Amino acid sequence: MYLGIDIGSSSSKAVILNEDNEIVGISVKNLGTGTKAYKEVITDVMQQANIEDKDIKYTVVTGYGRITFEDADKQITEITCHATGVGYYLDDVRTIVDIGGQDSKVIKLNEKGQVENFVMNEKCAAGTGRFLEVMARVLGCGLDELSNLATKATKQVAISSVCTVFAESEVISRLSAGESIENVARGSHIAIAKRIMGMCNRVGYTPKVVMTGGVALNADMVQVLSTELGCEIEVLPNCQAIGALGAAILARRTYNKLEA
Amino acid sequence: MEQKILTSKELLNDLVDKHYEGALRAKAEGKPVVWATSICPQELLETMDLVTVYPENHAAAIGAKKEALKFIEHAEGMGYSSDICSYARVNMGYVDLKHSDELNIPMPDLIFCCSNICNTVIKWYENLAKELNIPLIMFDMPFNHTYEVPEHSVKYMRGQIEYAIEQLEIFTNKKFDYDKFGEVMERSNRTCEWWKKATDWAKVIPSPLNGFDMFNYMAMIVCMRGNADGERLFKLWHDELEQKAKLGKGPWNSADEEYRVMWDGIACWPHLSTTFKTLKKYGINMVTSTYPESWNVRYEKNDLDGMARAYASNYANRNLDYDTENVVKLIQDFKLDGIVYHSNRSCKLMDFRQYEVQRRVTEITSCPSVVFDGDQTDPRSFSAAQYETRIQALLEMMEKNKEAKRRG
Ligand code: SF4
């Protein structure tokens, strides 16, 4: 059995693969680095797979928490792990958009599914999941409600500030000027989409485009981004755990010295 | 007379001390002090025996000694925007506070500025002259939009050099000594040649040079190009590297060089050790950057047009085609496995070109690269975790390439 763990800034994920490359355990908790959530997801997948520590032959850890996690055999970046994880489901993906809590990235793959180039967001939180968290808080709704709200938007509201802090005050002033919550929710999706679009252009995106990470669960966000990109975006099953899945695949490959 | 044989590192440290102590002493003795930009025609100042200090160097040193934030915050408090180059903010803060716990420089009596590095320095140095109410000699060097540096730019620069000589004669109340000027030109060229030859040893595999050392020696190529100390230092450094290379020694004693990368942009001075150690941990040696060429200011003795052309042709002042070609050549000459682009919040001119140069270079060479956010002296604009993720990702791409090569 092979364990892949992804300790992100706002969520923890784990996946266990068996010898036949089948997923036998998968778990996601919405708490990240600095919490004990990674322990919970590990316990959780072990129970699902019905195995003990000693049954794990190899462990790969990824995500922001990878540096401080000590029990893995190897750490590999989210970039390589996402590229590998996506390959589990599809072999014709050329562009991955991953919007994480703190980092967003656009990864360009070659025809072998290997990383050809990638760009990540700048140091600030614009264009990341954090931006949406802030927006949800200002709008007084849950993160998972943003999508539903945004689909009821009646017009496009532009949020021009790229900085999360400025965008927050911009949104507050929009709301106090009488703009509806629905329109502002859509506006915040458009703001992220524009940011991601810039990254896609930099990397030189080509279809097929898939989206991974927690933000991919937000259907309106995916819709807005695909309109912006002018092409369809596929959302993979277990989109939040793709990095952990990639880590588990790489654990299996490394242990068995398999080629990519 | 030499007492004992110094290593170039010891000599470097001695010379840095001598440089700053000498400047402070000169000021105390009532001699005038000049503040100048890093790639200015220092030959004129050297010929006139003018004691010169380089604010960019000083700010970098303050940054490396982790004292920059004090000056930066002070400058921002005075109203200077956080978007201004952090060297300028450190310097403007210093001008007001006039004291550093780490390294002090004398206040200037003359400002000497050449905009061949960027146009931020124009406003920064004009501002200094105005605030301190002292004379300013400005070399205005418009950006070269064409691949070749146009003849009119060279003529324009030459005219300004001639005019600066007149201004210096007035300032010092002394005739300009053209014979001495010739000697200084000759020596400056020799020093630059040693600098280039020394840094070229990094072409050898493994490279005897650890590029982070180059960052340290850079301080001296800025301020000692025209004097005998500089020539001695760079010749010594060159000889040491030559010897190391011939013995097949790599950059570090404790680890082997596994990958060779170029660093684009200025160092992150406040995070020098983090940025260095993260690379070294993975066996990545930074073997070169665009800097070896920046101070390879070369021309024939007494050839004023050649000198004007050399200053007008600085890398920072060249167009995208030239930049791209330059990086592609570095990849080939230094057999690079990857490139680390420092997207430096301070240096707009370097950043604006970076993405496009990266795109073109990747297209031509497929050499993997990463961009990370940072700043040369403002410690707030850097995240160690983000840096590490990007470096590790670069490593994974370089590993893949190496693996593929091994398999044939
Ligand atoms: S760091 Fe860039 S902006 Fe600042 S002085 Fe140097 S060249 Fe100009």
Side-chain angles (χ1 to χ4, degrees), chain B residues 33-130:
Chain B
V33 169
V34 184
W35 278 11
T37 53
S38 57
I39 312 183
C40 68
Q42 50 79 33
E43 292 87 336
L44 310 185
L45 303 171
E46 191 68 35
T47 304
M48 284 296 204
D49 287 321
L50 282 164
V51 174
T52 306
V53 176
Y54 295 83
E56 290 156 75
N57 260 6
H58 179 239
I62 295 234
K65 292 172 195 290
K66 302 197 190 300
E67 206 195 355
L69 200 53
K70 175 169 109 192
F71 299 105
I72 287 175
E73 283 174 346
H74 187 81
E76 287 174 6
M78 288 162 72
Y80 293 105
S81 158
S82 62
D83 286 327
I84 299 173
C85 163
S86 58
Y87 280 170
R89 276 176 290 148
V90 167
N91 185 242
M92 297 313 300
Y94 185 80
V95 165
D96 203 50
L97 292 171
K98 295 192 177 55
H99 174 78
S100 151
D101 294 335
E102 295 293 343
L103 184 63
N104 284 296
I105 52 172
M107 285 295 139
D109 302 282
L110 171 69
I111 299 292
F112 196 77
C113 176
C114 180
S115 71
N116 59 349
I117 51 173
C118 70
N119 44 35
T120 296
V121 291
I122 299 179
K123 289 297 150 199
W124 168 12
Y125 280 67
E126 274 178 359
N127 187 42
L128 281 174
K130 189 160 182 192

